[in-house]
Amino acid sequence: MTDTLTEPGIGTGTSWQGQSVPRKEDGRYLRGEGAFVDDLWMHRMGYVYFLRSPYAHARILSIDVSKAAAMDGVYATLTGEEVAELTDPYFQMAPGAANGMVDYCLAVGKARFMGEPVAAVLAETRELARDAAEAIEVVYEPLPLIVDGVATAEPDAPVLHEEIGTNVAWTGLYDYGDIDWALAQADHVVRIPHMYFHRFSSTPLECNAALVNWDPGTDTIDVKSNIQMPMFASMYMGPALRIRSDRIRWETQDIGGGFGIKITTYTYITAIALLSRKAGRPAKWAETRSEHLMGSGHGNERTFLDIEVPVMADGTILGFSARAFDDAGAYLRYEPLGAVIWSHVLVGCYRFKHVRVKYTETLTNKVPVCPNRGYSRLQHLWMVERIVDLVAHELGFDPVELRKRNYVQPEDYPYEVPNGCVYDSGNLPLSLDKTLALIDEPKWRERQRNAPPGKRIGIGIGSTLDSGTNNFGQSQIINPQLPFTGNGEAAIAKLGFYGEIQISLGTVPQGQSHETTAAQVAADVLGVSPDDVDVTAGFKSLQNAYVGFSGTYASQFAVTGLNAVAGAAEMLKAEILKIGAFALGAAQSDLELSGGMVQVVGDPERAIPLAGIANLALANVAALPDEIADTTSLTCRYVYRPPFEVVDTERKWGNISLTWANQIHACVVEIDEATGQVTILDYAAVDDCGIRINPKIIEGQVHGAAAHGIGGALHESFTYDEETGQLLNATFFDYHAATSADIPHLRTDYVESPSLTSPNGAKGMGEGGGAPLHAISNAIQDALADTGAVVTHAFNPPERIYEMLNADHAVRGVEVVSR
Amino acid sequence: MKLEGSVHSPLAPSELWDALRDPQRLADALPGVRLVDVLDVQSFRAFIEPATGLGVTPFELDVRIDDERAGEHVSISGAGRSGEQLVELEVEIDLSGRADGTAVEWNADVRFFGLLSSIGQRVLPHIAADMIESALQGAAQAEPV
């Protein structure tokens, strides 16, 4: 399925980092011994089922649970009315009126999207819980609804949240440079009135799940779940449940994918906790695929209006202006962070100096959005890449040369973009050249010219960025009152009784191989093999170290997680050497760690195994001098803190992310004129994520991101009925998540530009899911170049292609004004 | 979903009308439909079990005659529930006398709510149309009383 041009051998070189060490996790997965939430069981456990609103917008006049509650085997029921008594609304990050949004774990008074939970049942079996839920009688009064993310901002639109009084959740102006000057000076202005990025999502193999036990004796809540950012959930759930946040004890182990979608599960976990407390039993919930698609979280849906692009005669693009409407769905459960996170990649891969975006986040009667691979950035990057491509097509520039002219150049790094972000490293022209070489672009240009009748061939490039490691100070651009800045991650390194090295993480891996890469890093510091390092599977808040934003999201593990591991391992090494120096009667500076031994450099006879060090510190401590015994524990916690500063909220200016990996993709498509069917003939991806810790794992993530993006470009789009607000494709029958049958042979290569801001030179990666959307849109545009059609949608199924092929393009989706 | 169709009946309009206005005869004519209760002269409750490729989804459907002109026109509305799934429908039926019987023109607006609207959005239009057509065909072929 792939061509990998470079495959380092295992065991070569002096460092475990940089090698494709086999994944520690694979053994248990291949043996079917992974522990996923739905595999777990507790004594007296019941099963939860959520009754959901069939209406997109309806007042709840009454809920009668009496028939359900009377059924044998039903342990408890829960309604919105009870929730409003037992909990407080979740806190809101939005400023102004939207800060007053009232959001509970179940619908209270009104249902605002089809699939919103309105009641829940805990019962002896899964099936009984479902049957009981169906016996709950809910009387609804349907209300006018709105599913259009732009029209919902109009004053006459039905209001979702009366307490806010508007469907506009946030609005702000991002204005850098002088776009009016640029538009006045430009030789050409390219205008694109409308572009649209659709709703799609992640479809992890494992849907959301949780096993929750509210222990009445200690008043603690044990949550075994697959949530991917538990400490963020604690921030929401503690105050809502009116308990200490440290009474919520999190535990994860194996997780079948997350991609951001598993960040906002806290609403469900809150309801399950309430059911557990009410029934005095552990409560388990495992979401079905349909529930996941219609009630969990979708990626951001964005409409761009009135785009204007000033271009000089030589092809220099000065910037752009646009209005953006981001449809957040019915609630703001991670939003409106998306209203600032896109600006990590304000100018994409380009040296634009003048940018103005008027950004509006709106509410509609649809599933709330939540982070989804490439969160909030892939939409913007798609628009940027689309306008670069349209400039090339409309003004007659070669798309490759135009990109190279406008790319940030290798010598520009560190490169400060107009909003204060500092791109750390890269070589975009080299990455593009490598990508085009992988697909042999001249060969396909020749085939394009000689395409058979009824077929069209197009070649598209997708240049994208994967900003990694959030500066949560960006949240203050949204709401200056929020008490968040910077970021961090924690890790613990321990030496066990017999010299075993153990690492525990603050992160919550969902398939990203943290056990493997953390072991590689620790092994390098401590002079052992990764096989000698045990990394605790998953995250356990009672055992692992953590900070407020611990978790796995925002392409940051390679930076925050692994630098935390390195720091903790260095602390442990220092303690080991201190004890070793005493044991060996040598100076610490004369010692080294190698092969599980502390030894005097150049004198292998003077050595002590790690087990001996552990014995002295843990069981033979009276033998140690006080100054050593009092300062060594062999349990070392380290917090890596990225070098962030407080942002300038007035100017919306600052380094709001730490690293910028880049991915250049190229795609060759064939279009069947009779059907509009798009077939990918060739596909290549070149990834530059700085220093590579484990190339094979990186390649796997490149594959996953490419597949996800290809699905988003050609197969995956949530469709809502405008009249009824019904989600029309809440099953895999109609929502087609890409499978191996849809994914072409992928050619991959890499460029390695060390990060200048991360101590290990690595950059977070794995969210390059946007690149296929750009590349495929641009390839379709290339194939349709002589028709006058303009690709203005990110989702291009056969019917849209057919329409573009057969439409009258007298009025086009683009206009050029030249001086 | 907007549906429409036409049916020809050998019965005269008045005979067809009698058949259409008799819920029991309609129910008897439809496979998978059971008349539960005649609530009053304008309304009745039926239990229907439309089968799709994904299984049977039983519905309890309350049907009401909203407007009628004997032998010419009838407007029917209905609302049903099956667990978490809801259906709402409005049907307009027009009868026109012909030399060989009666021409029946019908149109309907059927709305599904809940997961069924997703699962069934491809197949439900056909099933709903089939059920309406079957009901009309059943009435059209009925023996005059």
Side-chain angles (χ1 to χ4, degrees), chain A residues 556-573:
Chain A
Q556 63 181 42
F557 177 73
V559 176
T560 57
L562 292 184
N563 282 319
V565 169
E570 290 286 358
M571 289 173 70
L572 181 62
K573 178 181 178 181

Side-chain angles (χ1 to χ4, degrees), chain A residues 380-394:
Chain A
H380 182 76
L381 287 161
W382 172 79
M383 185 272 287
V384 168
E385 195 65 359
R386 207 68 279 286
I387 64 177
V388 170
D389 208 65
L390 276 172
V391 165
H393 276 274
E394 295 299 315

Side-chain angles (χ1 to χ4, degrees), chain A residues 628-681:
Chain A
I628 296 177
D630 291 348
T631 56
T632 53
S633 65
L634 300 186
T635 297
C636 301
R637 176 183 185 271
Y638 182 82
V639 174
Y640 170 70
R641 182 172 55 82
F644 284 131
E645 295 176 356
V646 174
V647 301
D648 180 339
T649 57
E650 287 294 316
R651 295 165 59 206
K652 295 185 176 66
W653 196 93
N655 207 15
I656 55 178
S657 188
L658 189 72
T659 63
W660 278 263
N662 64 68
Q663 296 86 28
I664 309 294
H665 290 210
C667 174
V668 182
V669 300
E670 180 184 77
I671 290 176
D672 184 302
E673 291 183 342
T675 64
Q677 182 70 41
V678 175
T679 304
I680 297 175
L681 301 178

